[in-house]
Amino acid sequence: MYKKQIKAALFSALLALLLTNAVAQSTPEPFVAWTFDAVETPQYWYGTSYMANFGNFPNAVLYANGNYGSSQFATVTTNNYAQMLKNDWLGTELGDPRPEAFDGYCLGFKHPNAAGRSFVLACPTTLYHNLSLRYAVTRSATGFKKMKFAWSLTGAYSSYQTIATKPCDALDFEVQELNLENLTALEDQPIIYIRITIDSIGSTAYQGNIKFDNICLLGSKCMDTLHVQDTIISGENYYDYGFFLQNITGDGDYIYNRRVRFTDRCDSLYQLHLHVTDTTAHVIPTDTTTTDTTEVGGDTTSIPLWISQPLIQVYPNPAYDHLTITVPDGLTIDGFSIYNSIGIKVFTTVTKTLGAFYMCEDDFSFSIQDLEPGIYFLHWHGHATGHTGGVIKFVKL
């Protein structure tokens, strides 16, 4: 009962922390970008696809090959292709999101048939909101004078909705930004599509062009993953911190994720690091001698793990200030140690300090006031026919 109340209070506090952090976000930062500098010998790039080379989304791709509403730029009426990524079209460091900005190459379009054609940015926005699109752009004096922006969640040609139409008057590279904050439908999505159409070329001569570089999607991350650590005995259910896990078996460390959904902002994540102890996987010592030499607060290299035996009982459990051990007839307790949930010994009894507890055959109590609230494991050793030790889990409130 008390454990559930404490966990509920802690969960409420963590949710409040999530809400506070979700609101107090910094200025949006680039989370994916196309800088066009990783292309090998890019003399001509005839409208294929190009993966983002900045950020952690491997499925962020620029399409200019007819997919997801993009156009195939290699359509020609003469022997001159619509040239893209031409190797004498140098880019700019303006708007470069990397720590070391680099001019490199740029994405260029040159051909009158490119008028009215489009390329598409496909990218996840998982856990990002307050989105914007930033890019460096320039054109020649006779190049494309207009850009049209549209969005879709499916990439189907007919599904795009217009965001804005912007003129392109920059005869040298300049950084422009398109604010997408009002388009909340684009936030926290597994994939979104933004289509950029170029149009209104100033001349049908082949030298008219437009160039893009350092195309970035920016956003505010809802918050970093919130990590929670806990410990259970193998075979138990786990119903804390909003997780509902049944019959967790095994022996070791496991990670579980769940999303915390908010109505007025994108989701956040809980990550549960659960240590599962399988007491049946450990062998009972054949005598009462222990090789454990770990001191209180010391390392965990020699922690004894014994099979749990239903011989002794501890109460109350959960406990506030003291713990009582019930010793059945025919069993003698020689000593015991207490370990916290990460395996560090925090309490021990040895021959010279056992006092009245040494060689105890009756119930006895001892103080646990100095222990921090949490989950603990009491390892006991004694002697009785076929039974030389065990481990019992208890909770300190």
Side-chain angles (χ1 to χ4, degrees), residues 122 130 143 249 346 384 390:
N130 296 334
T249 58
V346 295

Side-chain angles (χ1 to χ4, degrees), residues 162-193:
T162 299
I163 304 171
T165 299
K166 298 183 65 174
C168 181
D169 298 323
L171 300 183
D172 287 309
F173 272 113
E174 70 175 28
V175 175
Q176 298 183 3
E177 188 163 335
L178 182 65
N179 192 326
L180 306 175
E181 290 184 4
N182 293 329
L183 295 175
T184 56
L186 297 179
E187 298 177 352
D188 193 29
Q189 295 290 339
I191 196 80
I192 67 169
Y193 302 89

